[in-house]
Amino acid sequence: MSGPKLREVSVKLPQKRERPDEPWHHYLTVDLIWYVLGYTLFHPFVSCVLVLCLRAQYTPWHAPEMRVAIAWAMLMTAVGIFGVFSDRVAYGRPREVDLSEEVIVITGGVEGLGGLLAETYGMRNANVAVLDTKKVDYDEAEEKGVLYYECDVSNAKQVEAVAAEIVEDLGPPTILINNAGIVHTKSILDSTAEEVELTFRTNTLSHFTTLRTFLPYMLRERRGTIVTVSSVLGHLGAANLSSYAASKAALLALHHSLRAELAQIPDADEIKTILVTPGQMSTKMFGNVKTPSNFLAPVISPAEVAKDILKLIEKGESGEVAVPLYARYAQVLGVLPVGVQKIVRSLSGVDTAIAKAGLAKKEASEKQ
């Protein structure tokens, strides 16, 4: 069966002057090295090919290099097989996904990561509904192939009203991407009660609202995918980002609770869940924040995160998206000795980044 027909859109390519000139080593990161190793030395197929290459050179089976190559190939194969079985045990069988039969709801989908996801699906003629407080004119929405609904996701009544419109316009939602978020770059003492409440209403409580609103449709359809966009700061916390980090940390518990509840519902076997915990992205939210090490903690583009999200959604799988590499292992920091934790935090600059960027006492909030 052929996939959905691609929508033709006009694209303005960036001019050379719009892209900063960076030295070659700027693009050399631990993530790139890990990616290359994953498709070479650490890949089961490549490891087995190495054994065949040695044998083609008439290397004796008892030779040390042959024994090492065979042992390495067996180890990599075992690790690969274990990973497949581990994912199957944790997430079950993937569901079939046909974009022409899916209705995709994206919160905070006008700009940033959500905007990129919405436009990508719009170009592929998928049924996309975006919930955002920002307005998009009709011509722009028509060009992108996306339906935009002006909605404050922190307001339960607005979400419920928009949900009825989406069902009438597109059909019952089957893919929910909870992406909306705001940040107040203030210390705990400088934060007002209203700012903290708004952060939690938008970043956390909105997820409860959208789940209560859209999950029943997925249960009736007996299929669906729910994407929870959290942050690596949910594992770490950070100075001058207390309300943001706390609201994102709550999403980690919400995701695991959601998975536990879905496992107890017979009709939820085909409802998949995806947890997204990215590091710093090159969006407006943290645009002026500098990474302490571009090699170990590179700033990633929304496209890198969106690529992994799209892959899991369209393969019909549950899973986790954590990029760059350090985001996968950030939670390990909590099991290290407290002295080591302090040293790592100091070297990472996580607690001084906002102050150094001059954002610590910024009054206005910026939306994703």
Side-chain angles (χ1 to χ4, degrees):
M1 179 182 293
S2 59
K5 184 178 179 181
L6 297 180
R7 177 184 296 273
E8 294 184 1
V9 296
S10 57
V11 177
K12 180 183 177 181
L13 297 177
Q15 301 295 322
K16 183 176 180 181
R17 63 179 180 274
E18 296 175 354
R19 290 177 290 187
D21 293 328
E22 301 286 356
W24 66 269
H25 55 79
H26 174 83
Y27 303 97
L28 180 62
T29 66
V30 67
D31 289 72
L32 177 61
I33 295 174
W34 185 257
Y35 179 84
V36 173
L37 289 175
Y39 280 93
T40 53
L41 187 60
F42 295 154
H43 197 285
F45 177 78
V46 176
S47 301
C48 292
V49 169
L50 178 60
V51 175
L52 296 177
C53 291
L54 289 174
R55 189 56 186 163
Q57 296 177 350
Y58 299 102
T59 304
W61 293 106
H62 55 80
E65 60 270 30
M66 178 62 80
R67 291 183 177 182
V68 170
I70 292 175
W72 182 256
M74 292 176 64
L75 176 62
M76 291 298 99
T77 301
V79 170
I81 294 174
F82 175 80
V84 171
F85 276 98
S86 177
D87 289 346
R88 181 58 59 88
V89 170
Y91 305 127
R93 297 178 61 86
R95 74 179 184 93
E96 293 186 7
V97 176
D98 183 350
L99 289 182
S100 64
E101 298 180 357
E102 305 284 343
V103 175
I104 306 166
V105 176
I106 305 175
T107 66
V110 171
E111 297 178 348
L113 174 63
L116 180 59
L117 290 169
E119 292 179 28
T120 300
Y121 278 128
M123 287 189 292
R124 299 174 63 182
N125 276 357
N127 304 305
V128 186
V130 166
L131 279 58
D132 205 305
T133 55
K134 299 182 178 70
K135 294 183 179 180
V136 176
D137 60 52
Y138 177 81
D139 292 337
E140 182 180 351
E142 182 71 16
E143 181 180 5
K144 294 180 178 179
V146 177
L147 290 182
Y148 291 91
Y149 299 85
E150 189 176 350
C151 174
D152 182 357
V153 292
S154 67
N155 187 312
K157 291 184 178 180
Q158 288 189 30
V159 174
E160 292 169 1
V162 167
E165 295 182 43
I166 294 174
V167 173
E168 183 177 351
D169 296 339
L170 300 174
T174 55
I175 297 176
L176 171 63
I177 303 177
N178 275 320
N179 167 76
I182 63 173
V183 61
H184 287 90
T185 53
K186 290 186 177 183
S187 68
I188 296 174
L189 295 179
D190 290 332
S191 300
T192 65
E194 292 76 13
E195 290 170 339
V196 174
E197 180 181 355
L198 178 59
T199 299
F200 272 85
R201 284 176 57 196
T202 305
N203 295 4
T204 306
L205 299 183
S206 65
H207 287 241
F208 285 89
T209 299
T210 55
L211 286 173
R212 287 195 303 266
T213 303
F214 297 111
L215 182 55
Y217 294 107
M218 299 183 194
L219 291 173
R220 284 197 287 270
E221 294 290 317
R222 296 194 173 189
R223 60 189 173 92
T225 299
I226 299 170
V227 181
T228 301
V229 180
S230 180
S231 169
V232 70
L233 291 179
H235 293 298
L236 301 175
N240 299 308
L241 287 170
S242 55
S243 60
Y244 176 81
S247 66
K248 292 297 187 178
L251 295 181
L252 302 178
L254 172 60
H255 169 80
H256 294 301
S257 298
L258 172 64
R259 284 181 46 79
E261 292 184 8
L262 290 176
Q264 300 175 6
I265 303 175
D267 293 340
D269 289 342
E270 294 292 306
I271 298 180
K272 303 301 178 179
T273 58
I274 300 172
L275 175 63
V276 185
T277 54
Q280 183 181 341
M281 288 192 290
S282 55
T283 60
K284 293 181 179 179
M285 182 173 282
F286 297 108
N288 296 325
V289 179
K290 303 298 182 182
T291 178
S293 171
N294 188 69
F295 178 76
L296 296 175
V299 176
I300 57 175
S301 68
E304 295 177 76
V305 183
K307 176 190 66 176
D308 290 342
I309 296 175
L310 294 171
K311 180 180 178 180
L312 283 177
I313 290 177
E314 294 175 29
K315 290 176 68 176
E317 296 179 348
S318 294
E320 297 187 7
V321 175
V323 289
L325 186 62
Y326 76 87
R328 301 184 193 178
Y329 306 103
Q331 54 190 313
V332 176
L333 181 66
V335 303
L336 297 177
V338 290
V340 177
Q341 291 186 40
K342 182 175 181 179
I343 294 173
V344 173
R345 293 185 70 91
S346 177
L347 293 175
S348 69
V350 64
D351 294 321
T352 58
I354 296 298
K356 287 183 177 179
L359 302 176
K361 294 185 179 181
K362 190 175 181 180
E363 295 294 333
S365 66
E366 292 186 14
K367 291 194 175 182
Q368 216 169 5

